């Protein structure tokens, strides 16, 4: 018999819901993005995000059921992101999912957002079976993780300062490219020379698998300021390409070190920055050179979505891990705490 999971995601600026069959087959994947609203402010405004989630969540969930051709009665469990993320936005999804669970009597499953991003890979065919190494790169996280098995994670390295996506967004803003910066830098970089500027590739001494992007970001900002003071023209495409190359070089080299050290032969990418074309190509090439099997979800499953939450929720569900109705939002939820 098939198992149908409804997955709800509202941790940042996407209100999303999806129905997934047997943790694998996506029957619907509805994403209502607030990017246009937050772009006016140059970044996500938590209070505005919360209000928009409240206005949209009902319709998004209804559409996901309708597109799947199902009703609430057909759903076996409701999975929802309960952290990490912005507390107001998280509370909207958690409260809504709790109400659905209470009203229908179906089990509630709290999902860690980072585990959700990793689980987007389980929606692929073929999909990676643990153990595998996963690099989760998003607006809020840069985590290099050894996935021992579902629910058991060892964080091998993480960012000591800015997340990779945050660095993209800040540099894009300085270049006048607008929000969110990642896709804009990606596009602009295609026209530029990645070797034009040698921006620093920072390494963290304490743990060589940790990341630091604030030095790189400052170096780009200082360079842009120096041009401004001299009244010289900014070669936006070259700066974008050189900055992107510096980020990708570090992400690839740390990931390959993690694979070498662990001896694991499977690698997966996840999170919004995993949509980056230069990162996808660079990682695929480095994996091929080492005989490592490489997995990356399509961009629609890299960005925040409900399908990845349903995929993770399904795996918790079949392990009997369900949440009680006193589930609360945990803005700084850690991955190992699962
Ligand atoms: O996973 P996500 O949708 O939300 C969070 O959980 O943070 O990631 C959003 C981040 C933003 O920082 C955005 O600029 C970045 O992913 N991003 C990209 C690309 N597409 C989205 N960064 C680089 N290149 C892209 N193509
Ligand atoms: Zn995310």
């Amino acid at each position: 018999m098939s198992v149908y999971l409804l997955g709800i995601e509202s941790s940042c600026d996407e209100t999303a819901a999806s129905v997934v069959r047997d943790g694998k087959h996506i029957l619907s994947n509805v994403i209502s993005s607030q990017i246009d609203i937050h772009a006016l402010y140059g970044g996500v405004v938590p209070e505005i995000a919360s209000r928009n989630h409240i206005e949209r969540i009902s319709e998004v969930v209804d559409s996901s059921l309708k597109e799947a051709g199902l009703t609430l009665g057909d759903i076996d469990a409701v999975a929802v992101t309960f952290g990490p993320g912005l507390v107001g936005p998280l509370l909207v999804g958690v409260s809504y999912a709790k109400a659905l669970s209470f009203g229908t009597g179906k089990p509630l499953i709290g999902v860690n957002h980072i585990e959700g991003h990793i689980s987007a890979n389980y929606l692929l065919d073929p999909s990676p079976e643990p153990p595998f190494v996963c690099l989760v790169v998003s607006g809020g996280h840069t985590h290099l993780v050894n996935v021992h098995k579902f629910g058991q994670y060892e964080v091998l390295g993480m960012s000591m300062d800015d997340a990779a996506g945050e660095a993209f967004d800040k540099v894009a803003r300085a270049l006048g490219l607008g929000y969110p910066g990642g896709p804009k830098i990606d596009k602009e970089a295609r026209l530029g020379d990645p070797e034009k500027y040698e921006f620093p590739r920072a390494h963290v001494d304490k743990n060589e698998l940790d990341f630091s992007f604030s030095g790189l970001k400052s170096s780009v900002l200082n360079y842009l300021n120096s041009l401004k003071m001299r009244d010289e023209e900014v070669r936006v495409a070259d700066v974008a390409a050189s900055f992107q190359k510096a980020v990708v070089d570090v992400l690839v080299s740390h990931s390959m070190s993690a694979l070498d050290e662990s001896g694991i032969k499977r690698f997966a990418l996840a999170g919004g920055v995993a949509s980056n074309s230069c990162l996808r190509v660079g990682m695929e090439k480095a994996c091929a050179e080492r005989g490592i099997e490489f997995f990356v979800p399509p961009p629609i499953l890299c960005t925040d979505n409900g399908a990845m939450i349903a995929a993770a929720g399904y795996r918790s569900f079949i392990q009997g891990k369900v949440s009680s109705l006193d589930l609360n939002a945990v803005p700084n939820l850690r991955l190992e705490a699962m």
Side-chain angles (χ1 to χ4, degrees):
M1 233 187 37
S2 294
V3 176
Y4 296 96
L5 262 278
L6 171 65
I8 299 177
E9 158 62 39
S10 71
S11 65
C12 190
D13 61 346
E14 262 95 30
T15 321
S18 162
V19 178
V20 172
R21 193 180 75 226
D22 297 332
K24 185 108 203 140
H25 307 284
I26 302 174
L27 304 187
S28 63
N29 189 20
V30 180
I31 304 173
S32 174
S33 175
Q34 304 175 12
I35 280 179
D36 292 351
I37 300 168
H38 299 288
L40 299 172
Y41 306 95
V44 179
V45 184
E47 175 62 12
I48 296 177
S50 308
R51 282 167 193 252
N52 277 278
H53 284 305
I54 292 172
E55 282 169 18
R56 297 172 186 205
I57 194 155
S58 217
E59 200 185 317
V60 166
V61 170
D62 289 352
S63 307
S64 74
L65 289 167
K66 199 165 163 218
E67 267 183 40
L70 299 174
T71 65
L72 261 183
D74 302 316
I75 297 297
D76 292 289
V78 181
V80 64
T81 304
F82 74 109
L86 301 167
V87 66
L90 283 169
L91 273 172
V92 178
V94 168
S95 309
Y96 198 86
K98 277 159 71 167
L100 286 182
S101 168
F102 182 71
T104 59
K106 310 282 168 139
L108 174 73
I109 300 163
V111 172
N112 179 309
H113 183 76
I114 306 174
E115 183 174 50
H117 274 302
I118 296 171
S119 300
N121 282 282
Y122 299 131
L123 295 163
L124 303 176
D125 188 20
S127 61
E129 273 309 310
F132 61 90
V133 173
C134 185
L135 176 70
V136 189
V137 268
S138 71
H141 313 281
T142 310
H143 279 50
L144 193 49
V145 183
N146 184 339
V147 181
H148 290 287
K149 57 182 186 185
F150 179 79
Q152 195 183 325
Y153 306 97
E154 181 189 352
V155 177
L156 305 171
M158 60 196 286
S159 180
M160 297 288 101
D161 38 60
D162 292 352
E166 205 178 340
F168 269 96
D169 293 337
K170 288 177 178 168
V171 167
R173 189 192 302 189
L175 285 169
L177 294 174
Y179 177 85
K184 298 195 164 136
I185 290 200
D186 194 347
K187 193 163 165 226
E188 199 63 40
R190 285 173 209 186
L191 312 167
D193 175 5
E195 312 293 340
K196 181 83 188 172
Y197 307 108
E198 186 66 27
F199 293 126
R201 274 83 171 144
H203 288 274
V204 179
D205 286 340
K206 216 168 102 225
N207 172 7
E208 59 161 24
L209 295 180
D210 279 337
F211 302 90
S212 167
F213 293 109
S214 71
L216 165 62
K217 176 197 69 189
S218 302
S219 165
V220 177
L221 300 188
N222 288 342
Y223 172 69
L224 293 176
N225 276 337
S226 71
L227 286 183
K228 201 169 166 191
M229 270 153 54
R230 294 200 301 270
D231 214 14
E232 285 176 28
E233 190 201 340
V234 179
R235 299 164 69 115
V236 176
D238 289 338
V239 175
S242 302
F243 159 76
Q244 178 174 272
K245 177 87 181 359
V247 175
V248 169
D249 278 356
V250 172
L251 294 176
V252 172
S253 80
H254 282 38
S255 300
M256 294 308 121
S257 300
L259 287 162
D260 290 344
E261 282 171 25
S262 64
I264 292 174
K265 293 284 179 203
R266 281 184 286 265
F267 176 78
L269 263 179
V273 182
S275 294
N276 185 269
S277 55
C278 178
L279 179 62
R280 293 169 85 95
V281 171
M283 211 61 102
E284 183 167 21
K285 188 163 162 273
C287 284
E289 282 165 7
R290 286 172 174 74
I292 305 281
E293 231 184 318
F294 174 65
F295 300 88
V296 61
I300 193 70
L301 297 176
C302 289
T303 192
D304 289 347
N305 66 85
M308 68 186 198
I309 303 305
Y314 168 79
R315 292 195 168 221
S316 289
F317 183 62
I318 56 174
Q319 288 182 358
K321 285 196 265 174
V322 297
S323 307
S324 61
L325 281 175
D326 61 5
L327 181 74
N328 204 352
V330 182
N332 53 3
L333 183 66
R334 288 164 57 93
L335 187 62
E336 295 109 315
M338 295 303 291

